[in-house]
Amino acid sequence: MDELPEEEKAGIPAWVVTFADLMSLLMCFFVLLLSFSEIDAQKFKQIAGELAQAFGVQREVPALEIPMGTSPVFDQFSPAPPEPTVVNEVRQTTSEQAPELDTLRGRAEADIQRQLDQQVQETTTRVAEVLDEAIRDGRVQLAEDEHRIVIRIEERGSFPSGSADITWEFEGLLLEMAEVFADIPGKLTIEGHTDNVPIRSDRFRSNWDLSAVRASSVANVLLESGAVEPQRLVVKGLADTRPRANNDSTESRALNRRVEIIIDLSGPMAEEEARLRELIEGHQDEILIPNIESSPAPSAGLAW
């Protein structure tokens, strides 16, 4: 009896071998292309970061860093603090003082300042009238510095060069100024200034001596008139420490050789301001502002 032939087992199809060879060749080809290419690490990192944000990849947040939300418009976003909804509500407020008092007080402050400025201007005008001829000749200059009036006296026509002896013409001008100073309150500071050229003589050892003696010479003339009280005067010798111009030419050095008389009105102005404020506060209960310009001057205050 003949034996039956064994059944042939099914094997791998023939096309699989060809497909595997093709895939192996393709993989080798792309690996070869990748080996020839260059990778931009910074651009790769940026793209990877954008992909991580786009797909919501969670990152580690340090404990001290506050987590912030992201937005398609802004890179960083922080929510605004919540605020209550505005309610259209009208409330009536009351005040113990009259509503027009603040307006009146502001008007009074302006009146006080205007009155003080007017008094300083009147004082400057009085001094300018006495010094009119000297100002036009260029021997004297007049200026205002806040609550100070500065009378700048040039060396020309006042002192001989290198000397502290006052000329006869300048002495007469000082005597006229003393009469005006008698009616003007405040301190009188007399400052002597020189250039930077050293001086050494039998009388003056340096510019400090020269500037101090010139300032004291002016003070002596004012005291000899009897119109100026000694306790009002302050004498300073500053040598070349406060020049008006550079000492690089004859003209600039001449500008630095000078004597300045400074009328300090800050003290009397403060007293006058306090007096005017007391006048206003005395009428606050009646809500009245006095007419400051027509108010009488105090008997022992400013003498403008």
Side-chain angles (χ1 to χ4, degrees):
M1 184 174 180
D2 297 333
E3 294 181 356
L4 294 175
E6 295 181 358
E7 295 181 358
E8 297 182 359
K9 297 180 179 180
I12 299 175
W15 60 268
V16 174
V17 178
T18 304
F19 180 77
D21 291 340
L22 181 60
M23 292 297 102
S24 299
L25 291 175
L26 286 176
M27 184 184 68
C28 293
F29 176 71
F30 284 113
V31 169
L32 182 64
L33 290 179
L34 182 62
S35 64
F36 291 151
S37 64
E38 295 181 359
I39 299 176
D40 190 344
Q42 183 176 3
K43 188 174 181 180
F44 175 79
K45 184 177 180 181
Q46 181 180 2
I47 295 175
E50 296 294 336
L51 290 175
Q53 293 182 3
F55 289 101
V57 177
Q58 186 176 3
R59 62 186 180 91
E60 295 182 359
V61 180
L64 297 180
E65 182 180 355
I66 301 176
M68 302 175 64
T70 58
S71 170
V73 179
F74 301 102
D75 293 338
Q76 294 182 351
F77 172 78
S78 59
E83 297 182 357
T85 305
V86 179
V87 179
N88 187 12
E89 181 180 358
V90 179
R91 297 182 179 181
Q92 181 179 3
T93 59
T94 59
S95 175
E96 297 180 357
Q97 298 181 349
E100 65 273 12
L101 186 58
D102 292 337
T103 303
L104 296 177
R105 184 180 293 107
R107 192 178 306 165
E109 294 289 340
D111 290 341
I112 291 175
Q113 189 61 41
R114 182 171 59 254
Q115 178 70 2
L116 296 177
D117 294 341
Q118 180 180 355
Q119 291 176 350
V120 174
Q121 187 61 39
E122 291 176 356
T123 304
T124 306
T125 303
R126 290 185 57 191
V127 176
E129 291 176 355
V130 177
L131 304 174
D132 180 61
E133 184 178 354
I135 292 175
R136 286 189 280 106
D137 293 343
R139 294 182 289 117
V140 176
Q141 296 180 7
L142 190 64
E144 289 185 17
D145 182 13
E146 294 183 354
H147 291 165
R148 304 193 313 166
I149 300 176
V150 181
I151 304 172
R152 186 174 293 115
I153 304 168
E154 306 291 345
E155 181 192 46
R156 178 174 61 89
S158 305
F159 297 94
S161 179
S163 173
D165 298 330
I166 297 178
T167 61
W168 178 83
E169 183 180 3
F170 180 47
E171 184 176 357
L173 181 61
L174 286 176
L175 293 176
E176 295 180 6
M177 294 168 57
E179 299 297 330
V180 179
F181 293 159
D183 298 331
I184 300 175
K187 290 286 185 181
L188 296 176
T189 303
I190 305 174
E191 298 179 350
H193 302 266
T194 64
D195 55 22
N196 64 344
V197 178
I199 183 175
R200 188 175 185 85
S201 62
D202 296 337
R203 186 177 180 185
F204 308 112
R205 298 179 55 187
S206 65
N207 284 327
W208 291 99
D209 291 345
L210 177 60
S211 61
V213 175
R214 282 185 172 180
S216 61
S217 298
V218 174
N220 289 331
V221 175
L222 296 178
L223 292 175
E224 289 174 0
S225 66
V228 179
E229 299 176 354
Q231 55 268 25
R232 294 182 56 193
L233 294 178
V234 177
V235 177
K236 294 182 179 180
L238 300 175
D240 59 341
T241 57
R242 297 183 185 177
R244 293 170 54 195
N246 295 326
N247 291 287
D248 53 2
S249 64
T250 304
E251 293 77 9
S252 61
R253 286 192 291 270
L255 293 176
N256 294 330
R257 297 191 297 268
R258 68 197 188 277
V259 174
E260 294 183 355
I261 302 177
I262 302 173
I263 307 173
D264 188 1
L265 301 174
S266 57
M269 295 287 284
E271 295 177 0
E272 179 69 1
E273 183 178 359
R275 185 189 71 86
L276 296 176
R277 292 186 185 279
E278 289 179 0
L279 266 174
I280 296 175
E281 292 176 358
H283 294 79
Q284 279 186 354
D285 294 337
E286 303 175 6
I287 319 178
L288 294 176
I289 301 299
N291 187 357
I292 298 176
E293 296 183 357
S294 61
S295 60
S299 57
L302 300 178
W304 276 296

